[in-house]
Amino acid sequence: MSRSASSRANRRGEPPPSPEPLPSPALDSHTHLDIVVGERPAHGAGDEGWPDDAEVDAEIAAAAAVGVPRLVQVGVDVPSSRWSAELATRHPQVLAAVAVHPNEAGSGAADNDALAEIDRLAALPRVRAVGETGLDRFRTGPEGWAAQEASFRAHIRIAKEHGIALVIHDRDAHEEILRVLDDEGAPEHTVFHCFSGDADFAKACVHRGHVLSFAGTLTFANAAYLREAAALTPATQLLVETDAPFLTPMPHRGRPNASRLIPHTVRALAEVKAMDLSELCEALTSTAERVFGTWE
Ligand SMILES: [Zn+2]
């Protein structure tokens, strides 16, 4: 075990074992490999603290081994967006999303320089989404809401200008997100990452043509409202994700998450949709390729 692997185990506990592989290839539409594998560097830390390529490659290979050969690596600030774009450029199993996260934006991080860099990264061929962006009314207080909304609007414009998808972070802000999307005009492909609404909100999103991406929260005992939302969403508007290292699905809730654990969520979704598991995997992959383009 390398030094960074042992410190990772100390910090978050040993990662759980991989589940039984999926019968057909599926994907993880939202992961943060830099946080799964490494200790995220502080702002301005440059290249220090980024995980080494071998450890990242091992995680990607572990996902492929359980039928998850396609990942979307998501940036949350300028340094992690740059790292995500670089990883996608060198790795055929990875596409990238780039953005300044709404909580960072709420404290002023989405300034003109940062947005110009996101715009530059969004033009790269392996960057296929702008995100995660949106609104967070849970962790950002009212003093940050104006800056957060201005950043969200700027990110929507960048996605549309480059003709790529938009990946939305929505925390306690369902109606406000729809208000801004309707006002700006949503990009053709708009994904609600870690969908957290109920059946009514799911209907409002589905009606607008948006895509709902479900995380490990779908498997939680107290999340009947999410299963209702997933049940009414057409398979063509469904994605799955880990948001690793967060939101670990049952039966491993509380331990560190990784893309190789997504079969738990896919199996839960197949049950909710009463769909054959292989058919669901195929539907998820074709939706992902419609939204993000093809991986290879
Ligand atoms: Zn995320």
Side-chain angles (χ1 to χ4, degrees), residues 30-32 74 76 101 132 169 193 241 243-244 246:
H30 191 116
T31 185
H32 302 281
V74 180
V76 295
H101 191 284
E132 51 188 285
H169 169 104
H193 132 68
E241 64 172 76
D243 200 22
F246 314 108

Side-chain angles (χ1 to χ4, degrees), residues 9 37 41 44 70 72 88 114 123 126 128 168 177 211-212 270 285 289:
V37 174
R70 295 179 180 86
V72 180
R126 300 282 292 175
R128 303 288 179 77
I168 291 184
I177 299 257
V211 171
L212 282 53
T285 298
E289 294 196 329

Side-chain angles (χ1 to χ4, degrees), residues 3 19 22 55 63 85 123 129 133 135 155 181 194 204 214 218 225 231 249-251 264 269:
R3 205 180 54 182
L22 291 166
E55 283 187 67
T133 181
L135 302 175
H155 282 83
L181 282 176
C194 186
F214 286 88
L218 183 78
Y225 69 102
M250 294 298 284
H264 294 295
L269 187 59

Side-chain angles (χ1 to χ4, degrees), residues 10-261:
N10 290 342
R11 196 168 72 250
R12 293 195 268 263
E14 283 298 327
S18 290
E20 196 188 320
L22 291 166
S24 294
L27 76 145
D28 183 353
S29 81
H30 191 116
T31 185
H32 302 281
L33 280 160
D34 50 325
I35 314 180
V36 170
V37 174
E39 187 69 69
R40 284 260 294 123
H43 285 289
D47 289 332
E48 277 174 56
W50 294 106
D52 59 60
D53 290 355
E55 283 187 67
V56 173
D57 290 355
E59 279 296 331
I60 296 169
V66 295
V68 185
R70 295 179 180 86
L71 312 178
V72 180
Q73 159 65 29
V74 180
V76 295
D77 54 19
V78 165
S80 64
S81 292
R82 279 192 196 121
W83 186 86
S84 301
E86 279 162 26
L87 177 64
T89 301
R90 83 171 174 80
H91 214 300
Q93 286 169 237
V94 180
L95 295 177
V98 296
V100 178
H101 191 284
N103 286 320
E104 306 274 333
S107 51
D111 58 18
N112 288 341
D113 286 352
L115 291 170
E117 181 64 359
I118 297 302
D119 183 48
R120 185 188 74 81
L121 292 168
L124 297 174
R126 300 282 292 175
V127 174
R128 303 288 179 77
V130 171
E132 51 188 285
T133 181
L135 302 175
D136 188 317
R137 299 267 157 108
F138 179 78
R139 269 198 263 154
T140 295
E143 70 287 348
W145 290 357
Q148 201 172 68
E149 182 171 327
S151 169
F152 183 28
R153 288 179 183 273
H155 282 83
I156 293 170
R157 290 177 198 142
I158 293 170
K160 282 159 65 174
E161 176 196 323
H162 294 282
I164 58 178
L166 184 73
V167 171
I168 291 184
H169 169 104
D170 161 19
R171 186 124 188 227
D172 293 353
H174 304 328
E175 298 309 322
E176 293 295 282
I177 299 257
L178 290 184
R179 174 180 61 76
V180 174
L181 282 176
D182 291 348
D183 187 42
E184 287 287 333
E188 183 183 357
H189 301 298
T190 296
V191 180
F192 278 74
H193 132 68
C194 186
F195 184 80
S196 59
D198 61 8
D200 283 344
F201 186 59
K203 276 181 208 157
C205 294
V206 166
H207 174 72
R208 287 168 168 81
H210 304 329
V211 171
L212 282 53
S213 181
F214 286 88
T217 42
L218 183 78
T219 68
F220 293 179
N222 61 357
Y225 69 102
L226 287 180
R227 289 184 284 276
E228 277 169 39
L232 68 81
T233 303
T236 51
Q237 285 172 264
L238 276 175
L239 284 173
V240 283
E241 64 172 76
T242 56
D243 200 22
F246 314 108
L247 306 177
T248 310
M250 294 298 284
H252 301 298
R253 188 177 180 178
R255 296 176 73 183
N257 203 0
S259 294
R260 65 189 168 75
L261 298 178

